[in-house]
Amino acid sequence: AQSVTQLDSQVPVFEEAPVELRCNYSSSVSVYLFWYVQYPNQGLQLLLKYLSGSTLVKGINGFEAEFNKSQTSFHLRKPSVHISDTAEYFCAVSNSYDKVIFGPGTSLSVIP
Amino acid sequence: DTEVTQTPKHLVMGMTNKKSLKCEQHMGHRAMYWYKQKAKKPPELMFVYSYEKLSINESVPSRFSPECPNSSLLNLHLHALQPEDSALYLCASSQQGGVQETQYFGPGTRLLVL
């Protein structure tokens, strides 16, 4: 069975500072990895995904993530955050045999 | 057009009521999903329709009844709900239902059961 861990439930960061949101997964087979963002009172929106190929994935709004197979991680990074990045961020995993599983989420709060 | 629309935005219902949630997409997607999301929690998959056929039912109680009248529409019929069913109900769609596909989410219906 696969699972997703997001160790940080809340991450406060000052505006224009860099941020990293951590995601670790467990799966016995090759995985597909996703980061979704949920702004207040909205549905989820895909930021980026890793299916295969280059381990560094670039997404929308200046976010990027790096797939690290040996550490079973897919951490999300942004070099300089804005107030508008305040939201809930969900890491998700799937594989050829199983549906998408969402992690518990990380609440990013950008402080002016 | 990458929009998934959901109506109503808010719904308050009693435990004896019957109501329906509606979801619509015009992206030509052939897979549609219902998720339930409690506050400060991730979405939990309830149902998946693929090519208008129910392909996944995550052991959801029968008081929730999904329906897919055509490839653009998805309904969730509600009957005799419990207060613990209060949540945000999200609809999503993807091209064909593959696990590697991007899911496009609607804004959700916020349901309160009294």
Side-chain angles (χ1 to χ4, degrees):
Chain A
Q2 55 185 4
S3 66
V4 184
T5 304
Q6 293 179 249
L7 289 175
D8 305 307
S9 60
Q10 295 185 9
V11 173
V13 62
F14 286 104
E15 193 176 14
E16 298 184 6
V19 70
E20 178 180 83
L21 305 184
R22 295 181 293 168
C23 172
N24 289 88
Y25 68 91
S26 66
S27 176
S28 58
V29 297
S30 296
V31 295
Y32 308 115
L33 294 158
F34 309 79
W35 275 101
Y36 283 85
V37 61
Q38 186 173 29
Y39 299 106
N41 299 312
Q42 294 188 28
L44 281 71
Q45 178 185 7
L46 182 75
L47 280 177
L48 48 80
K49 64 181 178 182
Y50 171 80
L51 301 182
S52 65
S54 173
T55 57
L56 183 62
V57 181
K58 292 191 183 297
I60 62 171
N61 301 341
F63 284 94
E64 65 179 31
E66 185 156 18
F67 171 58
N68 188 319
K69 187 174 181 179
S70 62
Q71 297 186 7
T72 60
S73 68
F74 191 55
H75 300 333
L76 181 70
R77 301 185 184 99
K78 186 169 182 178
S80 176
V81 295
H82 303 289
I83 297 291
S84 58
D85 292 323
T86 294
E88 193 79 17
Y89 291 78
F90 294 100
C91 182
V93 63
S94 67
N95 60 48
S96 300
Y97 306 100
D98 210 348
K99 63 183 187 292
V100 174
I101 301 293
F102 288 89
T106 296
S107 178
L108 175 64
S109 297
V110 179
I111 305 163
Chain B
D1 182 8
T2 58
E3 190 179 22
V4 176
T5 59
Q6 291 187 244
T7 55
K9 288 186 177 180
H10 301 275
L11 180 62
V12 180
M13 61 185 290
M15 289 188 285
T16 59
N17 292 157
K18 284 185 180 182
K19 296 286 184 183
S20 296
L21 309 184
K22 297 185 185 303
C23 173
E24 190 167 4
Q25 56 88 16
H26 294 288
M27 294 178 278
H29 290 172
R30 303 310 300 270
M32 297 186 78
Y33 311 74
W34 279 116
Y35 286 88
K36 174 182 178 180
Q37 186 179 27
K38 301 285 265 185
K40 304 296 184 185
K41 297 291 186 182
E44 298 173 16
L45 184 65
M46 300 174 71
F47 303 103
V48 181
Y49 273 84
S50 181
Y51 290 84
E52 296 147 58
K53 292 191 189 310
L54 184 64
S55 59
I56 295 177
N57 176 342
E58 290 288 310
S59 302
V60 179
S62 59
R63 57 186 184 269
F64 294 92
S65 176
E67 178 196 19
C68 190
N70 60 57
S71 60
S72 299
L73 293 173
L74 185 66
N75 298 321
L76 186 62
H77 303 297
L78 314 173
H79 174 54
L81 295 192
Q82 303 297 310
E84 59 265 28
D85 297 321
S86 298
L88 181 68
Y89 288 84
L90 293 164
C91 173
S93 70
S94 69
Q95 278 193 310
Q96 294 182 327
V99 291
Q100 76 279 19
E101 294 174 0
T102 299
Q103 292 187 27
Y104 294 84
F105 286 80
T109 293
R110 196 163 296 279
L111 174 67
L112 177 62
V113 181
L114 300 176

